[in-house]
Each structure stands twice: as structure tokens, then as C-alpha cells.
Amino acid sequence: MSETDTLFAALRQSADETIVDMFERMVRDAPDHALNKMNALEIATKEGLDEERVIATLLNAVGLGMFEMTWNVMCPSCAGVLSANKSLKTLNSAQYNCAFCAAGYETTLDNLVEVTFTVSPRVRKIAAHSPDELSAAEYYHQIFWSSAIDLPGDVEKLLGEVTLEMVDLPPGERAILSLQAPEGTLIVFDPVTHAAQFIEVKGEETGERQNLSVMFNKVQVPVDTVALRPGPLRLALENRTDGRVLPAVWVANAALDAILTRRKPVLTATRLLTNQTFRDIYRTDTLAIGQRLKILSLTFLFSDLRGSTELYERVGDLTAFDLVNEHFRLLQEIIASERGAVVKTIGDAVMATFETPDRAIAAAIRMREAMSDLGAERQHQSLSLKMGIHEGSCLAVTLNAQQDYFGQTVNIASRVQGLAASRSIVVTEQVVENAKARSLLETKGLKPTPRSVALSGIADKVSVYEIS
């Protein structure tokens, strides 16, 4: 049995066998580019598989060394990868700048960071493992662009429609390009150093040759837009790095816009952090001590088992312990099935996160029903949960050696749970205003009851809704 066969056999012990079989076929038969920057959501859709199971299988494969996981900071405008990171720990900039788009973006995990997977060389060697050997077109396809961009099959032909010239320039070399500059905006861009020079071509056409020099260094330096007239252009390109660069002269036109606006859903960092398999495997060491990464929107659910102290008194330690453990098992199972993750337990309470409010509400409703069923089954009708849900921005941090969350959104969610009576779910206005959450409640025939409350440590009154 080969090493690859052994690894896939091991993967079947911890992941869905059907999905493992699919990845084994991909490793054996798929073209190289299909095994680079793999988009878990795209694969699940294409194969008709459950997204969470596909993600879980890839995470387990990473743990076995079969695939490599990358956290790509991507430009929301052009979908170019601004920074490729093997760990969240190296996302240490408050802002990332895209030279191609001449724009800067605050670092957030919601829409700026995608997570992709690439087959390990120990399983199969692919072209992307040696990026310096890729053609310029394939470098853009496999290295520069993120998995968010929806490219057609013939990338080289597509790029030909939006580029005047593209050069493979070895280290220390110079190249001279003779172009006919058309009216409009030109972008001299290198995907290796992420350097760009914008050229505005306007005015009366000239027959005289115009000259422009562009140098590529390791350090990006902001440059002013150059104004030229339509006509002949002598463009000198110089590579001052110790590796090759791939400068191209792009034409900013409708064809380029059409390329950059074709998008696919991606596995965001926020979603992966709310994945239970990820938390189980990477519970510690996800972020560096003191590192803080912003999330614009995350939904928090806090639950607490009502009357657990009295339960121990009434039925004894052994029975109560068994019931509480079963309660934790059921809750984690439901939370994971609704694409959430348990962040931690505190006594008999649970703190969980979800990417969207509707998933949290769906989980809360199912958790409430599960506790009723468990109480009836074990003849302890007093088993019930008090739950609170809130959505908002927060910081992903490390607390007590584990990946955790910090901020006012977390505080409010915790305090809202404290307002819940037995078997009730209390949610904030932000949650019920979510369109999918509202639709879910209507479908289930649940009408939240509003009230305004004062929460400890919160200056203004908060609008909350009880779902009973």
C-alpha cells in the first residue's frame, strides 16, 4: 500500500467516506489547477455534497498532512490575493492595500479573508507547488487570484482581451516595450511584487514617442498616476528583485470589469471559525497572544440550564451529572448541524457562535425541543434552557490559551440570556431584523414579543424580543 493509500485510509476513520472517495478521485484524476486553492463551497455545490461535511473532511485531511490550508487576504474589488498566510497569526496588518485597485481595506475576517486548501506535495506534486515555473497567465490564475473569482476555462485567451503586453522578466533584467497607447486608463501591474503604475491616456493623439520607466522592488512605494497622450509609448521595465516578475499592461475597459465582477461564494475566515470541526482541531494556537482580528458580524448564543443546582440536590450527583453531560452532547450536536460552534462552556452554560442570526435561532428552537424530549425521556420535566441571542461586531482573540471573542456584542448576548425565563429565547432587535431570521420565525408560526430593557453596563435601553 502506498503512502497516499495509507493516508486516505486514515482519513476515512475521521471523515465521511463518500467525501473522502471524492477527494481521492480528485487527487488521482483532476487537473493540477483543481487541486490548488480549492474552494470548499464550490466543491460541495458541484458534487451535491453537504458543505459542512466537505469542510470537515478537508480540515481532517490538513491534520493528516494531505492538504495545506491557506488564509488568503483578498481584495474585495479585484479578488486578487494581497497576502497568503499559512496561519491566522501572520495577519498582523490593520489594513491591506491593493495596488491594482489603488485602494486600501481594513482587515476584517468577514469579507477580506478566505480559506483555501491545496494538495500537499507528499500526496501529489502539482504545478502550483513551483510558482516560478508557471506561465504568466497561469500565475494570475493559480497564484494571484483568489478562489472567489469565476474564471472561464481558457484563462490565457481571456487575459489576451484585456492586456496589451505581458512579460516574464528574470531577476536583474530589463525589458523595453514599444506600444501604441490607446485613449483611456492603462495599468502596468506585476502580480509578484503587487506593484502598479496607472497611466491616464487622454488628449490629442501624438506621433512623437513618449517614454516611461517602471521599476519593481520588494518594497511597494505609492506612485502618482502618469498622464500621457494617445500614441507611441516606449515602456522600460526593470526588475530589481531577486526573483522573476510578471508585469503586464492592462487596459481598464468593460472586458476587464467583466472578469473582475464574476464571483463565487468562498469559505470565509469568519465561517471557518464558527465551524465545530475547526474548533475541535484548532482549539488552541489559532491566534497569537495579544492578536486581535475584527469581525463585522457574528451571532452569539448563550444558553443556561435552568435549576441545575436544584437538580443535583433532587436526583443526586450521578444522575444529575449524566443528565448535564447528555444536555451538552445534544446542544453541541445541534449547534454543529446549524453551522455553529461551541466556543466554551461555563458551568452548565454554553457560549456558541454562528455566522448568521437565522442559524442561531434555528439552533435555539431545536435545543429547546431537545431539552423537552430529554426531560420526558428521563422523567425530569424541569429540564429547560434559558437562551439569549445577539448579533454584531467583535474581535477574535486568544483568552485562556483558547480562541475566543471579545467586545460589547459578546457582553450584550450574555446579558440578554440572563433575561430569559424558563424555556424562553430572548433575542435582540438586530437578530429579528435579519430577513432570514424573520422568515424562519414566520414559517414556524412564532411571533416575538417586544420589550425595552436596561442591561447592566449598557448606557442605552436595548430592544429585545421574547420567543416563547
Side-chain angles (χ1 to χ4, degrees), residues 118-132:
T118 298
V119 69
S120 168
R122 70 185 291 198
V123 173
R124 175 174 156 182
K125 186 78 168 66
I126 60 173
H129 291 147
S130 304
D132 286 345

Side-chain angles (χ1 to χ4, degrees), residues 13 33 42 133 141 156 167 171 198 210 215 221 226 230 237 244 416 450 459 468:
Q13 302 302 310
H33 66 80
E42 181 184 20
E133 297 174 14
H141 182 196
E156 195 160 357
V167 183
F198 282 77
Q210 304 164 99
M215 292 181 295
V221 179
V226 173
L237 304 172
R244 74 163 181 169
V416 165
S468 55

Side-chain angles (χ1 to χ4, degrees), residues 355-414:
E355 190 182 20
T356 55
D358 58 303
R359 293 282 182 177
I361 287 181
I365 293 169
R366 290 176 57 193
M367 287 157 64
R368 181 165 66 183
E369 293 169 353
M371 285 305 97
S372 292
D373 292 344
L374 179 62
E377 177 190 326
R378 302 290 182 88
Q379 297 182 345
H380 293 290
Q381 301 296 336
S382 60
L383 279 182
S384 58
L385 290 177
K386 303 188 296 179
M387 289 177 278
I389 303 172
H390 180 50
E391 176 273 335
S393 63
C394 64
L395 296 175
V397 298
T398 291
L399 290 174
N400 299 319
Q402 293 190 18
Q403 193 265 307
D404 207 331
Y405 300 93
F406 180 83
Q408 194 72 310
T409 298
V410 184
N411 297 334
I412 291 174
S414 175

